[in-house]
Amino acid sequence: MSKQLTNKAIFGRRESEARSYCRGFDTVFASAKGAEMIDQSGKRYIDFLAGCSSLNYGHNDPDMKQALIAHIDTDGVAHGLDMHTAVKARFLETFEQHILQPRDMNHRVMFTGPTGANAVEAAMKIARKVTGRSNVICFTNGFHGVTQGALAATGNSYHRGGAGVTLNNVTRMPYDGYLGQSCDTTDFLEAMLRDRSSGMDAPAAILLETVQGEGGLNAASTSWLKRVAELAQEAGALLIIDDIQAGCGRTGSFFSFEEAGISPDIVTLAKSISGFGLPMGLVLVKPEHDIMGPAEHNGTFRGNTHAFVTATVAIEKFWSDDSLQQDILRRSNIISQGLQSLAAMVPEARLKGRGMMQGVDVGCGDLAGKICARAFEQGLIIETSGSEDQVVKILAPLTTTDSMLQRGLSILINAAQDVIGGHKFAAE
Amino acid sequence: MSKQLTNKAIFGRRESEARSYCRGFDTVFASAKGAEMIDQSGKRYIDFLAGCSSLNYGHNDPDMKQALIAHIDTDGVAHGLDMHTAVKARFLETFEQHILQPRDMNHRVMFTGPTGANAVEAAMKIARKVTGRSNVICFTNGFHGVTQGALAATGNSYHRGGAGVTLNNVTRMPYDGYLGQSCDTTDFLEAMLRDRSSGMDAPAAILLETVQGEGGLNAASTSWLKRVAELAQEAGALLIIDDIQAGCGRTGSFFSFEEAGISPDIVTLAKSISGFGLPMGLVLVKPEHDIMGPAEHNGTFRGNTHAFVTATVAIEKFWSDDSLQQDILRRSNIISQGLQSLAAMVPEARLKGRGMMQGVDVGCGDLAGKICARAFEQGLIIETSGSEDQVVKILAPLTTTDSMLQRGLSILINAAQDVIGGHKFAAE
Amino acid sequence: MSKQLTNKAIFGRRESEARSYCRGFDTVFASAKGAEMIDQSGKRYIDFLAGCSSLNYGHNDPDMKQALIAHIDTDGVAHGLDMHTAVKARFLETFEQHILQPRDMNHRVMFTGPTGANAVEAAMKIARKVTGRSNVICFTNGFHGVTQGALAATGNSYHRGGAGVTLNNVTRMPYDGYLGQSCDTTDFLEAMLRDRSSGMDAPAAILLETVQGEGGLNAASTSWLKRVAELAQEAGALLIIDDIQAGCGRTGSFFSFEEAGISPDIVTLAKSISGFGLPMGLVLVKPEHDIMGPAEHNGTFRGNTHAFVTATVAIEKFWSDDSLQQDILRRSNIISQGLQSLAAMVPEARLKGRGMMQGVDVGCGDLAGKICARAFEQGLIIETSGSEDQVVKILAPLTTTDSMLQRGLSILINAAQDVIGGHKFAAE
Amino acid sequence: MSKQLTNKAIFGRRESEARSYCRGFDTVFASAKGAEMIDQSGKRYIDFLAGCSSLNYGHNDPDMKQALIAHIDTDGVAHGLDMHTAVKARFLETFEQHILQPRDMNHRVMFTGPTGANAVEAAMKIARKVTGRSNVICFTNGFHGVTQGALAATGNSYHRGGAGVTLNNVTRMPYDGYLGQSCDTTDFLEAMLRDRSSGMDAPAAILLETVQGEGGLNAASTSWLKRVAELAQEAGALLIIDDIQAGCGRTGSFFSFEEAGISPDIVTLAKSISGFGLPMGLVLVKPEHDIMGPAEHNGTFRGNTHAFVTATVAIEKFWSDDSLQQDILRRSNIISQGLQSLAAMVPEARLKGRGMMQGVDVGCGDLAGKICARAFEQGLIIETSGSEDQVVKILAPLTTTDSMLQRGLSILINAAQDVIGGHKFAAE
């Protein structure tokens, strides 16, 4: 690669207006390691975004890196459609041994196109084929991707508006807490499911995230998740947990639903499953529902071979024992404490999320945006989420050292102080 | 990687029934180089499938390989969402210099999720947003992917049936030649577009492949393409060329539509754009139509950084001069000759396709399947296409040496001879 | 007409299996007068069904009858498409004078095809055209007809299942009381409307009945209706009151929403608007929303001329003063008392509805059905409603004399006693 | 009714802008008899529109009139939902005896809501339920009504645009003659049906008019209809003939498809089935497809009792022998001759239609409109049809006397002469 500094003019000249993160983080990145990204001027940034949870093990993990280089260097297959390859076999064996078997999951693995949206589309197809029904129940503030099938399930009106067509075959229900803490929203779901004149067509699936990453770090309670799982079963619907953002350790366990003790019929994974940030997506499906025909859902890049290499290392390295989970637990507490300090500065601020998927609802998107912008100036990459972008969200690599985590939190808190001084709160 | 032989049991135990190519090509591949794949027993296969045209420059091109290893080794960004990176800038500059500028194309580049289907979904969204219309005209036997928006435009009933929902907002028109050579199907398209009571809603776009790869290697004529382009303009619809399979040199020029002299409003690319088989997809859109808002169509893996590295090398190496195009022309002729020999053995067989995207329609899927199966036994990877899988299709790497091409063709012809001896033709 | 008795065999031989009321009321009716129907054997039945509220002024009102015969006898236009006719003018003038002006309503009258469903389809079209949006908010247990557009808004799964296609472009919200009396369901509606990530697309309209006739006589409260009207306005959505069953005096005032003091943008009327049971449907629309083009929504029978004749008499006779309303008030109380007696026999029975649109929820459809069947044997025509057909519903003509009302109620109560003796309640 | 002249101001003040025929025929009609309408000033108009073929037996036929008055006068049931009534029995018996049995049709009769659109919606539902498929094949320039399900099958973009939603679950095929006389459009239909990658989903039904009344009097040939019927059967699709405008004798036989010798699975009737212009609609369905459940498709006005009375008289009077058919044949020829005279005045004019459903395509809507407007001034009610309103269409009552037919044709020809003098043809 050229050592010459990149001229940003090319982006303005040739990259589509649809580009987005580069607008908030306006520099040119050159390299990245662990929890840090380095731009071409050599400035280092602590990464509290982690590729939107695609880099749970940080950037360029040395073991994955070494395995990937070795694979490439020896002319390992780079693209093999969905043929059998040695590296796919090894990934499956490792995933079976360290992830599925210890959790008593007999799910099959379906490699979809290497995006989360593609995995969600496949999951919805499976549920519709299994049940012969078309309606998928999804939830307020859910985010499942922006291809047309997945987009129907996504709540965000900005993304929905991009479709240019009506988005159908879903029914929207209120997520846990949507109507305040005193209202159990499963009561409404139950009523709609049991009433033959409710107007809700019999569902093929109930599709949800246990923590809504894009939706504002809303975390469903264990009791709510259990009740939804029971209602799905009662209604003859498949339960699909979209664990694309909350899975792969983000909430503390490999799957985000382990704590709730539920057994989803289908699970979608993407983002951090490759371990290295490489495109990869998959669907876990119980054997009795594994009825898609050969290539019925297909795609040229289903099964990214390079990703199998790094994913295998990631699972072996981080999920053979519980040390990472211990780290996550400790770091989650560090984050909670940091965020409490932040929340204390903002009237009516609320802590959101769980595990290493936490944030603070500061009440308005303008303030949250200013805090993140100020933090970036000070060397911290962090973004907002929620329907009004009102939640400052931390998605640091799970492997971020405690000290770097503390440093990042300090930058964030200082940024908030800088901004809040000049901010006029609604209540004032 | 372990040197121990892979046990295939893991695939049966844990991989979804949706797996497909591995069924026809039932071995475990370990490495690949140029136009060959090598299985774990050391057996070599000539690859006339090339990842369904994702490996136009063959497997593990040494220059791309070296650049990718260097990038990884120096902790180059592996995943950067759609932030600015040095390697993205270099890809854009190279693509502008060697591809867009020489062809007088002022299109912008939109990096979508790294699959062809995702690029098609984005293209349809753009056209719908630009025009405020929802209807997309597509064609018989077209294939554009299997996520819900793209699947609506795909003709194959097996894939459509997998949707589990009604596929809407498209109108199907007959492709060039669909009603025989004496019927110009654009007459029907014109009548439908001009008649205010035709029942065809005003189109947002006309979406097509210039050669239908999955549809049976149907190649549209230059005059037909020009007429469709004129009708799109007259109707206020955007012309979208899906060049995912036919682009990146497959038909002889970088874009498959160059010969026709048309200027599509939108072009979709994926498959071979990375050069190395890595997941990558993009949309080219004229600046006046580049109106998707920031992240309005988004996705975690939009812009695969590793793919930028290899794509840049691919373009510099193969598209700085016309030597590859000369090679393709010569190799296309070799393929034509080989296929004529094959066609001569089968009553009423027809040559299909153009460039290095050719095949023979042998009249029935059973025969075509047997030929491909026999060829695989003899060390050739090749598959069928078409509505009845009746077309034996060659998608060899464009860089396959003439001698290896000849060797592959010999295997194919011998396989056909072996099979035809025992085959009973319908007319007999 | 022949005096010979009709042989019912023709119905079995030639009428479709879709026939329905004739199954429960298994006799052949020959004539009808006031609140009674007479079968061909001369047996008289008190009619507590009144053509599902299409005969609010009873059968064959003598004044309407005389006017209609005079019209026919003098070769008055029977079918005039939507040309100007003298009788249409007179209907419009009368409707303006006695209905619209006294209520300060400046609505325009759109004559649709002569069914309620057609009026609902037209209303939905208007709202969609006015707003440029497609989503219509409707409610649990709502019933709006069974043509495809209206059926999407209807909650009943049996009717929905008949569509054979997915029913789209609506969002279902919980009706007043759906989640128990302690939950104000407008809170959920408000949250969904205000939240940009709720997943509910911006609504063209909010469509509702103030009392859900088919849905089980659920009556919305005045405060709930006011709040919904406010939310519609805030959201830029049109408020459509479907007053097909509850209008024309059924609840005590001409329109069912008068008590709530709201001003709907659109009102649909059908059923009793002709006064005589003749097919007629119309839409009232505020002038600023009267933007459908000439014949944009059309139909051969829009504006049934015979119905204009009888409708004019009906309005002049019954709505020139408040005597009918006084009668309805008194009769509503008689009905309430009768139903309380009935309810007292059934554990946990609940009174439902308001005005002369009342019933008793007896807890299960089996019991309600048995009561109605027994009542029919005793000379009373009455049916059930509700999602489980669990509500015994009284829709007597508004003009039923007090004494006949008492007689009908006695039959009903006796029928209930007969049946309840042999019925085993769930709680027992 | 008041003898005072009607003031048209009420229409401007209170009738919706959606009103339409009254704009072209701008007078107030008071009475009508046979083939004439009389306005309130006493001016007589020959009616070549006949309620868009709803008045095939003319206005106020004396026998139907007498029967209807007798029914009303004796308190015959006016509205009976779908209960058994003596008059319904008599209609069914008469329809069976004179219509179904002589044509060897064992169809069942389903009474739908009393509009053509409602009958079409029911027909589509039946086909979808029988086949378990959703796609309905319909044709260019078809018109089937404007409620949402029927509107999807209607070709006219003005009506389609009124929907405000995307119209789905149909596929549009070219009607007979759409691509010129040399192209047999069933070849395309056959190809699409047989090709598993055509993109056309397996059809529930093929729905068509044998003569497209609103579409411009396009008449399908017998051979084309036979081929479509064969293809429907081969595809497992139901054949639905929409005979709402072309049935009830309009083309010469009771059903318009008799000449073609085909046996539709489903037939829709409305318009002239009541004989008197009263709202009535029905579906004929073969017994093996009569599977809609009780009230699965319902509607308050299904089965208009007054219409049964007049329909029975109409069938007995006009279809007991072949005298009407002889009259239609003779009158069709009179019309053909008159239209030839008209066509001779207009360069490239074309005769359209068949039976008493004929017209002239004068090449542009402006000219056709002027001719009709001038004719109205001279006492003739006549309208245009076709995608550009370019066809002057005659739909006179079948019972119009030969002499009055001649008088009407003279007015038309004179009107054309008046107008053509001042018209500039495109070719000039």
Side-chain angles (χ1 to χ4, degrees), chain C residues 80-118:
Chain C
L81 294 163
D82 69 350
M83 299 180 191
H84 294 325
T85 57
V87 290
K88 182 195 279 188
R90 192 147 166 239
F91 168 74
L92 283 169
E93 287 163 350
T94 306
F95 193 74
E96 180 183 56
Q97 182 186 349
H98 295 300
I99 304 298
L100 297 177
Q101 282 179 346
R103 291 163 182 82
D104 273 335
M105 291 171 68
N106 63 351
H107 292 66
R108 294 265 178 79
V109 182
M110 177 172 166
F111 297 108
T112 64
T115 68
N118 203 290

Coordinates of all heavy atoms in Angstrom, one line a residue, chain C residues 80-118:
Chain C
G80 N -80.4 4.8 -13.2 CA -79.9 5.9 -13.9 C -78.4 6.2 -13.8 O -77.9 7.3 -13.9
L81 N -77.7 5.1 -13.5 CA -76.2 5.3 -13.3 C -76.1 6.4 -12.3 O -76.8 6.4 -11.3 CB -75.5 5.6 -14.6 CG -75.5 4.4 -15.6 CD1 -75.2 4.8 -17.0 CD2 -74.6 3.3 -15.2
D82 N -75.1 7.3 -12.5 CA -75.1 8.4 -11.6 C -75.5 9.7 -12.3 O -75.0 10.8 -11.9 CB -73.7 8.5 -10.9 CG -72.6 9.0 -11.8 OD1 -72.8 9.0 -13.0 OD2 -71.5 9.3 -11.3
M83 N -76.5 9.6 -13.2 CA -77.0 10.8 -13.8 C -77.9 11.6 -12.7 O -78.3 11.0 -11.7 CB -77.9 10.4 -15.0 CG -77.2 9.7 -16.1 SD -78.3 9.3 -17.4 CE -77.3 8.1 -18.4
H84 N -78.1 12.8 -13.1 CA -79.1 13.6 -12.2 C -80.5 13.0 -12.4 O -80.9 12.9 -13.5 CB -79.1 15.1 -12.7 CG -77.8 15.8 -12.5 ND1 -77.0 15.6 -11.4 CD2 -77.3 16.8 -13.2 CE1 -75.9 16.4 -11.5 NE2 -76.1 17.2 -12.6
T85 N -81.1 12.8 -11.3 CA -82.5 12.4 -11.4 C -83.3 13.3 -10.3 O -82.7 13.7 -9.3 CB -82.8 11.0 -11.0 OG1 -82.3 10.7 -9.8 CG2 -82.2 10.0 -12.1
A86 N -84.5 13.4 -10.6 CA -85.3 14.2 -9.6 C -85.3 13.6 -8.3 O -85.3 14.3 -7.2 CB -86.8 14.4 -10.2
V87 N -85.4 12.3 -8.2 CA -85.5 11.6 -6.9 C -84.1 11.7 -6.1 O -84.1 11.8 -4.9 CB -85.9 10.2 -7.0 CG1 -87.4 10.1 -7.4 CG2 -85.1 9.4 -8.0
K88 N -83.0 11.7 -6.9 CA -81.7 11.9 -6.2 C -81.7 13.3 -5.6 O -81.2 13.5 -4.5 CB -80.6 11.7 -7.2 CG -79.2 11.8 -6.5 CD -78.1 11.9 -7.4 CE -77.6 10.6 -8.0 NZ -76.4 10.7 -8.8
A89 N -82.1 14.3 -6.4 CA -82.1 15.7 -5.9 C -82.9 15.8 -4.6 O -82.5 16.4 -3.6 CB -82.6 16.6 -6.9
R90 N -84.1 15.1 -4.6 CA -84.9 15.2 -3.5 C -84.3 14.5 -2.3 O -84.4 15.0 -1.1 CB -86.3 14.6 -3.8 CG -87.3 15.0 -2.8 CD -88.7 15.2 -3.2 NE -89.5 15.2 -2.0 CZ -90.5 14.4 -1.8 NH1 -90.9 13.5 -2.7 NH2 -91.2 14.4 -0.6
F91 N -83.7 13.4 -2.5 CA -83.0 12.7 -1.4 C -81.9 13.6 -0.8 O -81.8 13.8 0.4 CB -82.4 11.4 -1.8 CG -81.4 10.9 -0.8 CD1 -82.0 10.3 0.4 CD2 -80.1 11.0 -0.9 CE1 -81.1 9.8 1.4 CE2 -79.2 10.5 0.1 CZ -79.7 10.0 1.3
L92 N -81.1 14.2 -1.7 CA -80.0 15.0 -1.2 C -80.5 16.3 -0.4 O -80.0 16.6 0.6 CB -79.1 15.5 -2.4 CG -78.2 14.5 -3.0 CD1 -77.6 15.0 -4.3 CD2 -77.1 14.2 -2.0
E93 N -81.6 16.9 -0.9 CA -82.1 18.0 -0.2 C -82.7 17.7 1.1 O -82.5 18.4 2.1 CB -83.3 18.6 -1.1 CG -82.7 19.4 -2.3 CD -83.8 19.7 -3.4 OE1 -84.9 19.1 -3.2 OE2 -83.5 20.4 -4.3
T94 N -83.3 16.5 1.2 CA -83.9 16.1 2.5 C -82.8 15.7 3.5 O -82.9 16.0 4.6 CB -84.8 14.8 2.2 OG1 -85.8 15.2 1.2 CG2 -85.5 14.4 3.5
F95 N -81.8 15.0 3.0 CA -80.7 14.6 3.8 C -79.9 15.8 4.3 O -79.5 15.9 5.5 CB -79.8 13.7 3.0 CG -78.7 12.9 3.8 CD1 -79.1 11.9 4.6 CD2 -77.4 13.3 3.8 CE1 -78.2 11.2 5.4 CE2 -76.5 12.6 4.6 CZ -76.9 11.6 5.4
E96 N -79.8 16.8 3.5 CA -79.1 18.0 3.9 C -80.0 18.7 5.0 O -79.4 19.1 6.0 CB -79.0 18.9 2.6 CG -78.4 20.3 2.9 CD -78.3 21.1 1.7 OE1 -79.4 21.4 1.1 OE2 -77.2 21.6 1.2
Q97 N -81.3 18.8 4.7 CA -82.1 19.6 5.6 C -82.3 19.0 7.0 O -82.1 19.7 8.0 CB -83.5 19.8 5.0 CG -84.5 20.6 5.8 CD -85.9 20.6 5.2 OE1 -86.1 20.2 4.1 NE2 -86.8 21.1 6.0
H98 N -82.5 17.7 7.0 CA -82.8 17.0 8.3 C -81.7 16.4 9.0 O -81.7 16.1 10.2 CB -84.0 16.0 8.1 CG -85.2 16.7 7.7 ND1 -85.9 17.6 8.4 CD2 -86.0 16.5 6.5 CE1 -87.0 18.0 7.8 NE2 -87.1 17.4 6.7
I99 N -80.7 16.0 8.2 CA -79.5 15.3 8.8 C -78.3 16.2 8.9 O -77.7 16.4 10.0 CB -79.2 14.0 8.1 CG1 -80.5 13.1 7.9 CG2 -78.0 13.3 8.7 CD1 -81.0 12.6 9.3
L100 N -77.8 16.7 7.8 CA -76.5 17.4 7.8 C -76.6 18.7 8.5 O -75.8 19.0 9.4 CB -76.0 17.5 6.4 CG -75.7 16.1 5.7 CD1 -75.2 16.3 4.3 CD2 -74.6 15.3 6.5
Q101 N -77.5 19.6 8.0 CA -77.5 20.9 8.5 C -77.7 21.0 10.0 O -77.0 21.8 10.7 CB -78.6 21.8 7.8 CG -78.0 22.2 6.4 CD -79.1 23.0 5.6 OE1 -80.2 23.1 6.0 NE2 -78.6 23.7 4.6
P102 N -78.7 20.3 10.6 CA -78.9 20.4 12.0 C -77.7 20.0 12.8 O -77.6 20.3 14.0 CB -80.1 19.4 12.3 CG -80.7 19.2 11.0 CD -79.6 19.4 10.0
R103 N -76.8 19.2 12.2 CA -75.6 18.7 12.9 C -74.3 19.5 12.5 O -73.2 19.0 12.8 CB -75.4 17.2 12.7 CG -76.5 16.4 13.3 CD -76.6 15.0 12.8 NE -77.7 14.3 13.5 CZ -79.0 14.4 13.1 NH1 -79.4 15.1 12.1 NH2 -79.9 13.7 13.8
D104 N -74.6 20.6 11.8 CA -73.4 21.4 11.3 C -72.4 20.6 10.5 O -71.2 20.8 10.7 CB -72.7 22.1 12.6 CG -73.4 23.4 12.9 OD1 -74.0 24.0 12.0 OD2 -73.3 23.8 14.1
M105 N -72.9 19.7 9.7 CA -72.0 18.9 8.9 C -72.0 19.4 7.5 O -73.0 19.5 6.9 CB -72.4 17.4 9.0 CG -72.2 16.8 10.4 SD -72.9 15.1 10.5 CE -71.8 14.2 9.4
N106 N -70.9 19.8 7.0 CA -70.8 20.3 5.6 C -70.3 19.2 4.7 O -69.8 19.5 3.6 CB -69.9 21.6 5.5 CG -68.5 21.2 5.9 OD1 -68.2 20.2 6.4 ND2 -67.6 22.2 5.7
H107 N -70.4 18.0 5.1 CA -70.0 16.9 4.2 C -70.7 16.8 2.9 O -71.8 17.1 2.8 CB -70.2 15.5 5.0 CG -69.3 15.4 6.2 ND1 -69.5 16.2 7.3 CD2 -68.3 14.5 6.5 CE1 -68.6 15.8 8.3 NE2 -67.9 14.8 7.8
R108 N -69.9 16.3 1.9 CA -70.5 15.9 0.6 C -70.9 14.5 0.7 O -70.4 13.7 1.4 CB -69.4 16.1 -0.5 CG -69.0 17.6 -0.7 CD -69.8 18.2 -1.8 NE -69.4 19.6 -2.0 CZ -68.3 20.0 -2.7 NH1 -67.5 19.1 -3.2 NH2 -68.1 21.3 -2.8
V109 N -71.8 14.1 -0.2 CA -72.3 12.8 -0.3 C -71.8 12.1 -1.6 O -72.0 12.6 -2.7 CB -73.9 12.8 -0.4 CG1 -74.4 11.3 -0.4 CG2 -74.4 13.5 0.8
M110 N -71.1 11.0 -1.4 CA -70.6 10.2 -2.5 C -71.4 8.9 -2.5 O -71.4 8.1 -1.6 CB -69.1 9.9 -2.3 CG -68.5 9.0 -3.4 SD -66.7 8.9 -3.2 CE -66.3 7.5 -4.2
F111 N -72.1 8.7 -3.6 CA -72.9 7.4 -3.8 C -72.0 6.4 -4.3 O -71.4 6.5 -5.4 CB -74.1 7.7 -4.7 CG -75.1 8.7 -4.1 CD1 -75.2 9.9 -4.6 CD2 -75.8 8.3 -2.9 CE1 -76.1 10.9 -4.1 CE2 -76.7 9.3 -2.4 CZ -76.8 10.5 -3.0
T112 N -71.8 5.3 -3.6 CA -70.9 4.2 -4.0 C -71.8 3.1 -4.4 O -73.0 3.2 -4.5 CB -70.1 3.8 -2.8 OG1 -70.9 3.3 -1.8 CG2 -69.3 5.0 -2.2
G113 N -71.1 2.0 -4.8 CA -71.9 0.8 -5.0 C -72.7 0.5 -3.8 O -72.4 0.9 -2.7
P114 N -73.9 -0.1 -4.0 CA -74.9 -0.2 -2.9 C -74.7 -1.3 -1.9 O -75.6 -2.1 -1.6 CB -76.2 -0.4 -3.7 CG -75.8 -1.2 -4.9 CD -74.4 -0.7 -5.2
T115 N -73.5 -1.3 -1.4 CA -73.2 -2.2 -0.2 C -72.3 -1.5 0.8 O -71.7 -0.5 0.4 CB -72.4 -3.5 -0.7 OG1 -71.1 -3.1 -1.1 CG2 -73.1 -4.2 -1.9
G116 N -72.3 -1.9 2.0 CA -71.5 -1.3 3.0 C -70.0 -1.5 2.7 O -69.2 -0.5 2.8
A117 N -69.6 -2.6 2.2 CA -68.2 -2.9 1.9 C -67.8 -1.9 0.8 O -66.6 -1.4 0.9 CB -68.1 -4.3 1.4
N118 N -68.6 -1.6 -0.2 CA -68.2 -0.7 -1.2 C -68.0 0.7 -0.7 O -67.0 1.4 -1.1 CB -69.3 -0.7 -2.3 CG -68.8 -0.3 -3.6 OD1 -68.4 0.9 -3.8 ND2 -68.6 -1.2 -4.6

